[in-house]
Amino acid sequence: MDKKAKPDGIVLTEAQKKSRRERSIAIALALGVLVVLFFAVTMVKGPAVMLRPM
């Protein structure tokens, strides 16, 4: 019997793995920038954020 089992599904090449990692890092950085931007806007507006008409 073969000791080495074949992996199920799609097997990515090293170039595809690198591309996926770089894309994931870019998405994470963009999300981080948005979080910091929303936080900064909230801090600049101060408590006026909560004082709005319903």
Side-chain angles (χ1 to χ4, degrees), residues 14-34:
E14 289 302 316
Q16 290 171 325
K17 288 179 185 177
K18 182 180 178 192
S19 177
R20 177 185 280 185
R21 178 168 170 74
E22 289 173 351
R23 189 169 44 249
S24 295
I25 290 171
I27 291 169
L29 288 174
L31 183 59
V33 167
L34 276 175

